[in-house]
Amino acid sequence: MQSIVGTMIIAQEERFQLLDRDGVGHQFLLHYRSPVEADELSPLLHRRVRVSYRPAEEADIIGHIAVHIDLLED
């Protein structure tokens, strides 16, 4: 799957939701190898930064698994 770009709108523990450019919400779980730790999600949420998530390739899942998170310039 390609990267999903948007703004984080919800963060709780290792779970978060991203709102993409089309207004679609995407549920994520942090991958255990992600360079971002769960305690770093809340500051990203409060800063309202645009981010890019590269989800893991998984079949038949309700939420995506975030393997990598990039902060984007406005």
Side-chain angles (χ1 to χ4, degrees):
M1 174 179 265
Q2 296 178 349
S3 294
I4 298 173
V5 177
T7 303
M8 190 182 306
I9 58 171
I10 299 171
Q12 181 183 33
E13 297 172 355
E14 69 279 344
R15 300 178 302 270
F16 58 95
Q17 185 171 11
L18 168 74
L19 188 64
D20 71 14
R21 295 176 183 134
D22 297 324
V24 177
H26 302 271
Q27 296 292 119
F28 285 88
L29 292 173
L30 281 178
H31 191 276
Y32 71 96
R33 289 188 187 167
S34 172
V36 175
E37 299 291 330
D39 61 352
E40 296 175 81
L41 292 178
S42 184
L44 292 177
L45 171 67
H46 296 309
R47 287 176 48 202
R48 302 288 293 174
V49 294
R50 285 185 45 237
V51 292
S52 171
Y53 299 97
R54 189 173 67 232
E57 291 290 336
E58 300 288 339
D60 301 323
I61 60 171
I62 294 172
H64 302 288
I65 300 172
V67 188
H68 190 77
I69 298 175
D70 294 315
L71 299 180
L72 303 175
E73 298 293 327
D74 287 335

